[in-house]
Amino acid sequence: MATSGGSGGAAGGGHGDDRVLATAQQILKSLNTPKEVRDDMLLIFSSFDNRLSNITDLVKDGDPEDRFQSAEQIIQRWDSDAGASRRTLAWEDSPDEAAQYLSAIDEILRLYENLSVEDDKDRGLIERADSAIQLAMSLLEDEFRHILIRNTVPLDAERLHGSIRRVSLSFAANEGEIDDELDSFGEVDNDSSGCFHERGLSLGDDLCVDLINPDAVTELREIVERMIRSGYEKECVQAYTSVRREALDECLVILGAEKLSIEEVQKMGWPDLNETMKKWIQAVKITVRVLLSGEKKLCDQIFDEADWIKEACFNDTAKGCLIQLLNFGEAVAIGVRSSEKLFRILDMYDALVGVMDDLQAMISDDFVCIEAKGVLDALGEAAKGTFEEFEKAVGNETSRRPMQGGEIHPLTRYVMNYIKLLADYSTTLNLLLGSIEDELQNLQHKDDKLQIESMPPISQRLMLLLSCLESNLEEKSKLYEDPGMQYVFLMNNIWYMVQKVKDSELAKLLGDHWVRKRRGQVRQYARSYLRTSWAKALSFLKDEGIGGSSSNASRVALKERFKNFNACFEDIYRIQTAWKVPDTQLQDELRISISEMVIPAYRSFLGRFRNRLESGRDSGKYIKYTPEDLENYVSDLFVGVPNVLHHLRRKSS
């Protein structure tokens, strides 16, 4: 019997449901009870069997007032059950009851449409309907808000930052830290291990995050639909934007873009400001391309039937976090201009440019778009003004302490490392920097003028800047009393500039002509060095004034010549081993030039007059060196410290 009954029930499940409904309807008709009691029984039926869960199925053919009262009681019961804890009612935990509640709202709205204020009988129902809808909307607004809160997905900043690092296009490393003040140039070089500046951080096009649990979207849409139908669009928008604005504010905190006043930003020291600017750059990219893009999609899903509402919700939601980001950008733009800030300001400018099209496509709020454009322009002006301040600082740097050994001046290192980084921003700087036709007259090398006139703005400005640097270096070379060291100093610095240019993107900006011309300068300085440093020593190796040919030359004159040459060579050796030429290529070229000038002349002079001196006594006092000895000693020059061992050995001999 059990098997047969079960089989029959399965086979005729549909008919069984009909019989249950029919039986329930028959019972209702036969009940001679007050309507309130009958409605309570209906609720008992609906909770007992899910086939009776939709109360309107039982009373759809009944009296409108009965149907209204049944729906009204469901709304009132939820309000009563929730009581003081309404704001924590677990809507998502009771899907059947939630569906029943929404059906009750639908029923009241349908009946409401057929009521007329002109009808005395309807006026009472209208008042009750208004009260029920108001009660229902209050609860729906709370539930809408709490579904949003409970289903908000926390931002995974580590994942986002990891994605940024994985798709980074490039990292440009400076050879040292840029000092806070231009008048304290640090002695830095390209073997520094620290990374001053990261460049080119990019965000993957496919990077996206869930802002809320996708499973909650359906419930949110159902609530939104009823609130809009009930005329509670404003309350719906307010509930949505209040929750989502707080969520986006929390995202900014996670990204490190904390809310700061203009005064707080301007009081920050450079290390802290630098870190905050870096976080801001990432936050702008993530906020627009990930968070707001996701927020736009979420608004489209939840408010898909009401374009103006989803537009209002998105604008109001996005406005808060965007204004916070823009306020920081403005604070940086109007801050004190100093050279170390330029790269970060350019990064901020580029970041804002990079998201501007997306921002304007998503945001229809003119105020926000105008603010964003204003901050972008302000950052551009700040970058331009900071570059101009840097130009002035280079020209006005007037340190009077000569570099020991004719070394590369910190100003040269600073400027070249600085503009090497600027080359990465050439596209942006070409947009921000204007032409400098009037200033071209100040170029140190007048023949550069014809070349520079056809160059883009960044190339023109760099040309002028380097010309200013060269003029400054020439003034600094005069701090050395020894003319030979003046030329070594200029060789070192101009050669350093050439190496920095040809090994970087600067070569494209300045052109081959600039490089060739400075190489020519270095050769000219080398010739001047050889002339001023070695002319006197070579003068002792000439035949004039020694009283005849190799066979009858005056021994006294020859002794004096060798004695003077030895003393002069030793003096040069003692002094110039303390001079420094850091570049090994330039160092080798200088030594070769010295050897080619001095060694053949000495070998020739020694060969002609050695026999004349060696025939006398104490010849070793005068012929102290072989050509090979001199070659060895020349190899000790420009190492930066005197070669004490060779010097002592020579003295002892």
Side-chain angles (χ1 to χ4, degrees):
M1 290 294 291
T3 304
S4 174
S7 175
H15 297 298
D17 291 347
D18 291 340
R19 285 198 297 273
V20 171
L21 291 172
T23 300
Q25 289 174 334
Q26 185 62 37
I27 293 172
L28 289 172
K29 290 178 181 178
S30 64
L31 288 173
N32 187 18
T33 57
K35 188 176 186 310
E36 291 77 7
V37 176
R38 190 165 69 247
D39 289 338
D40 287 341
M41 293 180 68
L42 285 172
L43 293 176
I44 293 172
F45 278 140
S46 67
S47 63
F48 177 74
D49 194 314
N50 60 13
R51 289 171 291 183
L52 305 177
S53 62
N54 192 341
I55 190 64
T56 58
D57 287 341
L58 299 177
V59 296
K60 60 184 177 182
D61 296 326
D63 182 81
E65 185 174 352
D66 292 343
R67 290 157 50 199
F68 172 83
Q69 186 168 348
S70 298
E72 182 184 43
Q73 285 187 334
I74 293 174
I75 291 172
Q76 291 173 343
R77 186 188 64 160
W78 270 64
D79 182 65
S80 175
D81 290 347
S85 63
R86 173 196 291 174
R87 296 188 182 279
T88 60
L89 188 62
W91 178 277
E92 298 154 285
D93 295 337
S94 308
D96 291 339
E97 293 186 25
Q100 185 186 69
Y101 191 82
L102 294 176
S103 295
I105 295 173
D106 292 341
E107 183 64 33
I108 291 179
L109 291 174
R110 280 196 298 269
L111 292 170
Y112 194 90
E113 292 172 357
N114 297 321
L115 297 176
S116 172
V117 293
E118 303 297 330
D119 190 319
D120 291 339
K121 180 181 178 182
D122 287 351
R123 278 200 292 270
L125 286 177
I126 289 174
E127 291 179 3
R128 290 170 60 190
D130 285 339
S131 178
I133 290 299
Q134 183 177 353
L135 188 64
M137 292 303 109
S138 178
L139 188 142
L140 281 190
E141 181 181 342
D142 287 343
E143 290 306 320
F144 182 68
R145 189 187 307 274
H146 287 287
I147 290 173
L148 281 171
I149 293 172
R150 287 193 297 269
N151 287 278
T152 295
V153 178
L155 184 66
D156 188 348
E158 285 301 316
R159 178 196 164 210
L160 286 173
H161 290 157
S163 298
I164 291 173
R165 286 192 291 269
R166 283 194 297 273
V167 297
S168 294
L169 299 179
S170 66
F171 291 88
N174 186 23
E175 290 74 4
E177 294 288 343
I178 300 295
D179 291 330
D180 290 347
E181 301 295 336
L182 193 58
D183 61 4
S184 60
F185 295 101
E187 297 188 28
V188 293
D189 208 344
N190 60 354
D191 58 355
S192 176
S193 59
C195 179
F196 166 71
H197 188 67
E198 296 174 353
R199 176 81 172 111
L201 292 178
S202 180
L203 206 58
D205 292 334
D206 58 346
L207 186 60
C208 61
V209 296
D210 287 326
L211 303 180
I212 68 167
N213 186 342
D215 294 338
V217 171
T218 300
E219 285 82 3
L220 293 169
R221 289 178 60 179
E222 289 179 339
I223 293 176
V224 166
E225 180 187 347
R226 271 71 179 190
M227 293 188 74
I228 292 175
R229 284 176 57 196
S230 302
Y232 281 73
E233 301 93 337
K234 182 179 179 181
E235 290 78 3
C236 185
V237 169
Q238 288 176 340
Y240 181 88
T241 55
S242 65
V243 173
R244 293 307 306 157
R245 285 180 77 160
E246 287 185 8
L248 289 180
D249 287 345
E250 181 63 27
C251 288
L252 290 186
V253 172
I254 293 172
L255 293 172
E258 57 184 307
K259 189 172 184 178
L260 297 168
S261 67
I262 290 178
E263 292 76 15
E264 289 173 322
V265 173
Q266 295 185 348
K267 288 180 181 178
M268 294 176 74
W270 169 239
D272 290 338
L273 180 59
N274 183 39
E275 287 302 312
T276 306
M277 292 167 80
K278 287 197 292 186
K279 291 175 181 177
W280 184 92
I281 291 159
Q282 290 192 4
V284 165
K285 296 176 183 179
I286 291 173
T287 297
V288 175
R289 296 190 50 199
V290 179
L291 299 181
L292 294 189
S293 178
E295 196 67 47
K296 181 73 171 175
K297 180 181 177 182
L298 185 60
C299 285
D300 290 343
Q301 291 174 332
I302 296 176
F303 304 99
D304 62 334
E305 298 298 328
D307 289 342
W308 75 268
I309 293 179
K310 63 186 176 186
E311 181 178 321
C313 280
F314 177 73
N315 284 339
D316 288 350
T317 300
K319 184 175 182 178
C321 66
L322 287 174
I323 293 300
Q324 179 177 327
L325 290 171
L326 293 174
N327 284 343
F328 179 82
E330 181 183 11
V332 169
I334 64 177
V336 176
R337 293 171 181 172
S338 55
S339 58
E340 76 276 1
K341 293 181 183 178
L342 179 56
F343 305 105
R344 289 291 174 230
I345 293 174
L346 288 170
D347 283 337
M348 291 175 68
Y349 180 89
D350 284 345
L352 201 50
V353 167
V355 300
M356 189 61 74
D357 287 345
D358 290 336
L359 189 62
Q360 291 176 330
M362 288 189 291
I363 298 286
S364 59
D365 189 324
D366 289 341
F367 173 78
V368 174
C369 293
I370 291 172
E371 284 291 302
K373 184 63 170 59
V375 171
L376 181 65
D377 291 342
L379 287 171
E381 283 299 314
K384 180 180 176 181
T386 303
F387 183 89
E388 291 169 350
E389 288 296 318
F390 176 69
E391 290 178 315
K392 293 177 184 176
V394 172
N396 295 334
E397 203 283 326
T398 56
S399 60
R400 302 295 297 173
R401 182 175 63 87
M403 294 302 298
Q404 185 174 1
E407 243 275 45
I408 300 164
H409 199 280
L411 174 65
T412 309
R413 296 181 187 274
Y414 185 96
V415 172
M416 296 311 299
N417 290 329
Y418 196 93
I419 68 171
K420 188 177 177 182
L421 284 178
L422 285 180
D424 288 341
Y425 299 89
S426 57
T427 300
T428 300
L429 288 169
N430 276 328
L431 296 174
L432 298 176
L433 299 176
S435 181
I436 51 170
E437 294 181 4
D438 294 339
E439 297 173 86
L440 296 184
Q441 304 302 324
N442 298 327
L443 282 176
Q444 183 186 27
H445 302 282
K446 300 304 180 183
D447 57 340
D448 286 337
K449 183 174 183 298
L450 295 176
Q451 179 202 9
I452 198 175
E453 286 176 337
S454 61
M455 286 182 162
I458 180 59
S459 297
Q460 292 182 348
R461 301 299 284 260
L462 292 181
M463 279 278 208
L464 190 62
L465 179 64
L466 292 180
S467 180
C468 181
L469 173 61
E470 289 172 312
S471 297
N472 199 320
L473 291 173
E474 286 198 1
E475 287 300 312
K476 294 184 186 306
S477 71
K478 298 173 184 177
L479 298 173
Y480 299 100
E481 295 182 2
D482 190 320
M485 180 172 270
Q486 293 180 9
Y487 293 120
V488 168
F489 171 78
L490 290 171
M491 268 191 293
N492 280 332
N493 284 269
I494 301 301
W495 185 254
Y496 181 85
M497 293 167 65
V498 169
Q499 296 302 105
K500 285 292 183 181
V501 169
K502 75 182 188 64
D503 293 336
S504 70
E505 290 297 309
L506 289 171
K508 298 178 182 177
L509 297 176
L510 297 175
D512 293 337
H513 174 78
W514 187 94
V515 174
R516 287 195 302 270
K517 186 164 188 60
R518 273 66 195 178
R519 284 181 183 274
Q521 278 183 261
V522 172
R523 289 192 294 270
Q524 181 59 48
Y525 290 141
R527 288 192 290 269
S528 298
Y529 156 78
L530 291 171
R531 184 180 64 254
T532 57
S533 288
W534 294 95
K536 184 177 180 181
L538 290 173
S539 69
F540 298 124
L541 302 178
K542 295 180 179 179
D543 292 352
E544 295 84 353
I546 57 175
S549 65
S550 59
S551 60
N552 58 9
S554 168
R555 285 193 180 92
V556 174
L558 286 174
K559 288 178 181 179
E560 190 67 21
R561 288 292 183 89
F562 276 102
K563 179 181 177 181
N564 289 337
F565 174 82
N566 294 339
C568 188
F569 183 87
E570 289 168 5
D571 193 46
I572 293 172
Y573 178 86
R574 176 181 57 80
I575 293 171
Q576 296 193 13
T577 49
W579 295 3
K580 189 171 183 180
V581 177
D583 185 87
T584 55
Q585 179 184 345
L586 184 59
Q587 196 179 86
D588 290 342
E589 289 178 359
L590 275 178
R591 290 167 177 166
I592 290 171
S593 297
I594 294 170
S595 295
E596 289 177 346
M597 173 183 282
V598 177
I599 306 304
Y602 181 78
R603 180 179 284 112
S604 176
F605 190 81
L606 182 64
R608 292 198 306 276
F609 300 109
R610 177 194 295 269
N611 292 335
R612 184 70 176 149
L613 277 184
E614 286 181 343
S615 61
R617 291 182 300 171
D618 300 325
S619 62
K621 291 174 58 177
Y622 305 102
I623 305 177
K624 296 174 62 174
Y625 305 110
T626 66
E628 290 72 25
D629 290 334
L630 297 185
E631 189 80 49
N632 289 333
Y633 291 143
V634 167
S635 67
D636 291 336
L637 300 180
F638 314 121
V639 296
V641 291
N643 195 314
V644 178
L645 291 179
H646 277 177
H647 186 64
L648 291 177
R649 185 183 67 188
R650 186 171 61 255
K651 286 294 186 183
S652 65
S653 65

